[in-house]
């Protein structure tokens, strides 16, 4: 090998090494900037949270005021222009679901947005905006709205509390779709063109379905069940396979399974005992099974609700009454306990802070005496 070849190899090797070094430095800088931005954002989020806690009572008052006004306005629109309720629902979805994602991302609750209720609400939005006249998609959406979502209000005890934005949004996500599809089915004059033939004694409704049992069970039960199964498979793949390590690393990140199991274990209720029938290692499987049974049962009940106006009205009253009752019990039983606990924490913090301030000068004096003693020993 000649000297020129050796020098060229050295030059290439040296330049490649420099390039590698630069790439490493750049990746380090990018990582450092990411960490810094995360720190800045987390600090800002903590500041905002602290400020919100300081002005919590005022914020609750404003929220209660706006919530009551909005609910009253909704009731007026429901009576005066029922055909516009779908647009109110769409507006609610576009405003509050993104805001909830931002808030839940900060609280490490963002995996809640993978739950079935958000999956179903997205289908409702697609149906209302792009396929409003599709009868089959309407029936699938009706099954979701008046099946699992509606019964979740009662079973999971969703509370209509006007002073809490989070609770208000949770209730409306489960309650509004059913009211929207109720108005379209029974009250909306825009859909009454292709209804019952004239001269019939039956009430006008959309879609007009001949009482064929096979057709009803197919589009109100079987097809929605297939769509639910698809969601369950996707949810399991995302949460228990793709994001498994992330969830194991951070126990503060909440999923619906973690939250429900935590509450059930604390209360030691029926759900906790049922989920432990096959042992602690199979609680996730039992949770999926119990949710599937709940979904099958509630979807089956949508068939008689779909056929009967009177039954559908009674069901709307039941849903609203349950959420109001749960809201009352939360305000009178749960909220006072929460206030007492917060006041205790505040008083404990006030006690700890002056104690720490008294300890700091004593520690400083001890350190100064130690430095003086050490200097004296060095001089001697």
């Amino acid at each position: 090998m000649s000297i020129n070849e050796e020098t060229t190899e050295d030059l290439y090797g040296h330049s490649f090494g420099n390039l590698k070094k630069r790439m490493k430095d750049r990746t380090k800088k990018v990582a450092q900037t990411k960490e810094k931005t995360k720190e800045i954002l987390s600090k800002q989020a903590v500041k905002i949270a602290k400020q919100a806690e300081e002005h919590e009572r005022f914020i609750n008052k404003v929220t209660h005021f706006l919530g009551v006004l909005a609910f009253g306005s909704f009731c007026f629109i429901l009576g005066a222009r029922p055909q516009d309720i779908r647009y109110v629902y769409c507006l609610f979805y576009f405003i509050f679901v993104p805001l909830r994602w931002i808030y839940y991302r900060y609280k490490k609750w963002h995996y809640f947005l993978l739950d079935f209720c958000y999956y179903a609400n997205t289908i409702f939005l697609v149906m209302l905006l792009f396929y409003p006249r599709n009868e089959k998609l309407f029936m699938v959406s009706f099954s979701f709205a008046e099946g699992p979502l509606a019964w979740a209000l009662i079973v999971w005890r969703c509370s209509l509390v006007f002073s809490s934005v989070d609770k208000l949004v949770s209730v409306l996500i489960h309650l509004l779709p059913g009211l929207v599809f109720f108005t379209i089915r029974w009250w909306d004059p825009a859909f009454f063109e292709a209804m019952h033939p004239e001269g019939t004694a039956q009430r006008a409704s959309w879609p007009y379905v001949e009482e064929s049992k096979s057709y009803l069970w197919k589009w109100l039960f079987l097809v929605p069940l297939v769509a639910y199964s698809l969601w369950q498979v996707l949810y399991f793949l995302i949460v228990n396979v793709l994001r498994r390590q992330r969830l194991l690393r951070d126990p503060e990140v909440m999923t619906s399974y973690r939250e429900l199991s935590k509450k059930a274990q604390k209360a030691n209720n029926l759900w906790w005992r049922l989920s432990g029938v096959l042992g602690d290692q199979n609680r996730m499987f039992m949770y999926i099974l119990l949710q599937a049974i709940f979904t099958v049962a509630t979807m089956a009940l949508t068939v008689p609700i779909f056929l009967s106006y009177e039954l559908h009205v009674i069901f709307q009253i039941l849903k609203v009454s349950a959420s109001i009752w749960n809201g009352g019990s939360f305000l009178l039983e749960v909220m006072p306990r929460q206030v007492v606990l917060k006041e205790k924490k505040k008083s404990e913090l006030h006690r700890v802070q002056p104690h720490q301030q008294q300890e700091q000068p004593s520690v400083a004096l001890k350190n100064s005496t130690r430095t003086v003693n050490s200097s004296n020993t060095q001089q001697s």
Side-chain angles (χ1 to χ4, degrees), residues 24-273:
K24 279 182 181 178
D25 290 337
R26 280 181 184 177
T27 50
K28 277 182 183 178
K29 281 180 182 178
V30 169
Q32 283 173 359
T33 50
K34 275 185 179 179
E35 284 177 5
K36 281 179 183 178
T37 49
K38 276 183 180 179
E39 283 178 9
I40 291 161
L41 287 169
S42 63
K43 282 178 182 177
Q44 289 296 322
V46 168
K47 278 182 183 177
I48 292 162
K50 281 181 180 177
Q51 286 175 358
E53 282 176 6
E54 285 172 6
H55 303 93
E56 188 180 1
R57 287 184 181 179
F58 177 73
I59 290 165
N60 286 342
K61 284 177 184 177
V62 172
T63 307
H64 181 83
F65 173 74
L66 293 174
V68 172
L69 279 181
F71 194 75
S73 303
F74 175 80
C75 292
F76 173 78
I77 294 166
L78 183 65
R81 291 186 63 83
Q83 64 270 25
D84 293 336
I85 286 295
R86 77 196 71 175
Y87 304 119
V88 175
Y89 164 73
C90 292
L91 185 69
F92 160 78
Y93 186 94
F94 282 124
I95 293 170
F96 286 99
V97 171
L99 287 173
R100 173 165 267 207
W101 185 87
I102 294 163
Y103 176 66
Y104 275 20
R105 188 80 178 82
Y106 161 68
K107 298 284 282 184
K108 295 185 179 180
W109 297 348
H110 49 285
Y111 284 97
F112 283 131
L113 272 77
L114 294 173
D115 287 353
F116 179 74
C117 54
Y118 295 96
Y119 170 80
N121 273 273
T122 307
I123 292 170
F124 302 156
L125 204 72
V126 171
M127 180 258 158
L128 291 169
L129 294 176
F130 301 107
Y131 306 102
R133 300 274 178 173
N134 191 314
E135 295 184 4
K136 290 170 183 177
L137 187 57
F138 174 84
M139 290 173 80
V140 172
S141 300
F142 185 95
S143 180
F144 286 163
E146 297 296 48
L149 262 71
W151 285 99
L153 278 168
I154 301 160
V155 174
W156 306 125
R157 300 192 65 182
C158 293
S159 307
L160 187 63
V161 180
F162 292 110
S163 57
S164 171
V165 177
D166 189 47
K167 289 193 174 294
L168 197 59
V169 172
S170 294
V171 168
L172 293 176
I173 278 170
H174 294 86
L175 182 66
L176 274 181
L179 287 169
V180 169
F181 295 125
F182 172 83
T183 56
I184 291 172
R185 173 118 177 93
W186 304 106
W187 286 359
D188 194 345
F191 286 88
F192 287 171
E193 293 171 5
M195 306 274 175
H196 292 282
E198 288 183 11
T200 56
Q202 288 179 307
R203 185 184 176 85
S205 61
W206 186 89
Y208 173 61
V209 179
E210 296 288 345
E211 292 188 14
S212 169
K213 288 183 180 179
S214 61
Y215 184 81
L216 284 171
W217 281 97
K218 181 183 177 181
W219 291 104
L220 287 171
F221 183 73
L222 291 175
V223 175
L225 205 59
V226 170
Y228 166 81
S229 303
L230 177 65
W231 164 81
Q232 187 66 80
V233 170
L234 289 170
Y235 183 87
F236 185 82
L237 284 172
I238 294 166
V239 175
N240 295 92
V241 179
L242 298 174
R243 306 298 292 170
R244 181 179 172 79
Q245 294 302 319
R246 167 80 176 92
L247 291 166
L248 288 171
R249 279 198 308 271
D250 194 350
E252 288 184 2
V253 177
M254 276 292 151
T255 62
S256 57
Y257 169 70
R258 278 186 177 180
E259 180 69 15
L260 289 169
S261 59
K262 186 181 172 183
K263 286 181 178 178
Q265 186 180 11
K266 192 177 178 181
N268 195 22
N269 58 18
L270 179 66
W271 297 109
W272 181 252
R273 290 193 290 273

